[in-house]
Amino acid sequence: MAASDESLRKALIDKQLAVDSQGNVVRALKADKASKLEIDAAIDALNHLKLEKSSIEKELQAAVSGGDGNAVTREAFRQAVVNTLERRLFYIPSFKIYRGVAGLYDYGPPGCAVKANVLSFWRQHFVLEENMLEVDCPCVTPEVVLKASGHVDKFTDLMVKDLKTGTCYRADHLLKDFCNEKLQKDLTISTEKAAEFKLVLATLDDLSSEELGAKIKEYGIVAPDTKNPLSDPYPFNLMFQTSIGPSGTIAGFMRPETAQGIFVNFKDLYYYNGNRLPFAAAQIGQAFRNEISPRQGLLRVREFTLAEIEHFVDPEDKSHPKFSEVSHLEFLMFPREQQMSGQSATKTCLGEAVAMGTVNNETLGYFIGRVYLFLTHLGIDKDRLRFRQHLANEMAHYAADCWDAEIECSYGWIECVGIADRSAYDLRAHTEKSGVALVAAEKFAQPREVEKLVITPIKKEIGLAFKGSQKMVIEALEAMTEEEAMKMKSSLESKGEDEFLVCTLGKTVTIKDGMVKISKEKKKEHQRVFTPSVIEPSFGIGRIIYCLYEHSFYKRPSKDGDEQLNVFSFPPLVAPIKCTVFPLIQKPEYEAVAQRISKLLTAAGVSHIIDMSGNTIGKRYARTDELGVPFAITADSETDVTIRERDSKDQVRIIISQVASIVKDLTEGHKTWADVWSAYPHHTSVNGEDNDL
């Protein structure tokens, strides 16, 4: 078993002390003019200690960089992936001829195809299988909607400025980079300091503005480009502001998420669903965030695609009828207790996590399981996927529980999907701001006698006190929760007045005794009216796709071994092109067969490309491997052809009339390559190995 980072750092410090001590011995022997034999023996011992120290340094470097000493560094691997992606036009910087704009990217033909395939599978896996209601709402959102949701006031990141140039940086990113740099490249830091840096990284999202600023000062962090001092952190709102209409009187924003469009349509969606809960609404669309310092390619951009689900459920019953279908799943989970104690994620059974209360409820657990299946079916490595629970102070005050699906890539662990139980916050906020009740009802088989809160504003007294604001004060009083109302009742009885926040006015007002009557009455009810809770899985599609690119990329030697060839091992499900078709050589009868197969594939709805170039078969295979094409069809006779599988490079012979249906079955998952390999004659290349470059 490999030694831990902590034990290696301790061993390195101990070995350095031994080297220093032996160095003193050598110097003392020389000063005392000891015999050559004694001095040589002491020097040999010193050199041996230095070799041991060097060995520990290499092992520690491998441990902190995530691989063995001979492994390609993360940066070199990332550069190889990005170079291939940009050269083959998966994506490129936007407005490239004008030197581009940070945080904006264009998807090229293969990138568009991968994205379309991911979204198609997302719809199948979630919208179709879960009978969700899909909507499509505008990107431009009126300010009042985002004021109600809290985005106008709170959708911020902490920013620092270079005090001399004015260049802006995201404060937590500078601290994160500093800690990672120290952990990965400074092998001399003590185990205590390494543990401190790890704790900072684990609790980074939990730091306040003051705590973040204090850490930046404590570590002497400066502007990375100029080394100039930095300002204290301050909040920066990430939304792009705009105005709606030519007069400019209606303020708006480009939406930072798609969820609000679903929340404001809840009443109509609930009616469409037959006034029944639970149900889920889904939306795929563009979102916009004016990132302070975009970086990391597709991982942090200013315009991106989100796929979001809002699952509405009775807050008193968060069980799920299909939870048993995922309860057996085991995968890496990272509860908050393990994060705070410096432990690592551990493989956990989802059913046990829900039963023990680690995951708050079955519905949240069900979606965690479904997200795991979605990501692994796409091709994400299950050993580099974990579900991290938000720390207590990292969650919004209204949230019951939140987990992030994080995928490890060359940039570290990246949040790609958020799965949150948002309670009833969103619907309540929009109910209060709009005055439209976004509620559901449970009808009783028999009437029930219940104690009901009755709030009766005295309109005459409120009108005299608040005049033009009368309506907003009355609406706010009527919208009080039972807890708020009983607290006001107690205050009015004891002090004769109460301070009351009216959100629509944006200020606190004084409610005096005689302005409102608050009581509880026993009534018979035929239904229970309540505000539903929301379980929200939110998918960053660009982030998922980039991690998929890294997880699918590898190199293999050419036939002669003098070149490393790039391969994307996409599952057929997401591959941008499902197969290639080409004649073995430029010969009219083979070209005619290739054209015939192309027509059959088109009729079957299988995406493909046909290559009639005169390049060797090996070069054509290598070119399509680099695009991640899983199957290649080579026409080398007029009756049957070969189908080659990308990763194994194995080939089978199949008669022409069966080719399209077999490739379709392979790409749609109805058959595996193992099925085909066992059912059809194998082919050994004679005219050219597939890597004959």
Side-chain angles (χ1 to χ4, degrees), residues 419-479:
I419 310 115
D421 182 337
R422 297 175 60 87
S423 299
Y425 170 80
D426 301 281
L427 294 182
R428 281 182 179 152
H430 287 299
T431 293
E432 184 176 342
K433 191 73 172 175
S434 68
V436 176
L438 303 177
V439 294
E442 176 195 6
K443 296 189 185 302
F444 301 143
Q446 296 292 331
R448 296 180 186 177
E449 188 172 86
V450 295
E451 196 174 50
K452 193 76 175 176
L453 176 71
V454 179
I455 301 172
T456 310
I458 310 303
K459 294 181 180 179
K460 181 180 176 182
E461 296 297 323
I462 292 173
L464 288 171
F466 300 108
K467 298 182 171 57
S469 303
Q470 175 186 6
K471 184 182 177 185
M472 285 181 278
V473 174
I474 289 172
E475 287 175 349
L477 286 169
E478 290 175 336

Side-chain angles (χ1 to χ4, degrees), residues 278 311-321 323 354 360-366 398-401 420-424 531-535:
H311 181 91
F312 299 100
V313 64
D314 186 336
E316 294 183 6
D317 181 12
K318 294 182 181 178
S319 62
H320 198 288
F323 180 67
V354 172
N360 185 269
N361 57 77
E362 277 191 5
T363 298
L364 183 64
Y366 177 73
Y398 52 79
D401 197 6
D421 182 337
R422 297 175 60 87
S423 299
T531 305
S533 286
V534 178
I535 311 294

Side-chain angles (χ1 to χ4, degrees), residues 171 174-179 212 215-224 228-230:
L174 294 183
L175 182 56
K176 180 180 180 181
D177 290 347
F178 175 85
C179 292
L212 199 53
K215 283 293 178 190
I216 287 173
K217 284 188 172 68
E218 178 187 342
Y219 295 152
I221 298 172
V222 294
N228 292 330
L230 296 165

Side-chain angles (χ1 to χ4, degrees), residues 313-359:
V313 64
D314 186 336
E316 294 183 6
D317 181 12
K318 294 182 181 178
S319 62
H320 198 288
K322 293 165 65 178
F323 180 67
S324 60
E325 295 179 13
V326 299
S327 61
H328 66 283
L329 294 173
E330 288 190 5
F331 43 78
L332 290 173
M333 298 190 79
F334 202 13
R336 62 174 67 98
E337 292 77 13
Q338 289 176 222
Q339 297 173 54
M340 296 303 293
S341 60
Q343 300 176 56
S344 300
T346 54
K347 190 166 281 191
T348 306
C349 174
L350 181 57
E352 291 177 9
V354 172
M356 293 169 61
T358 306
V359 175

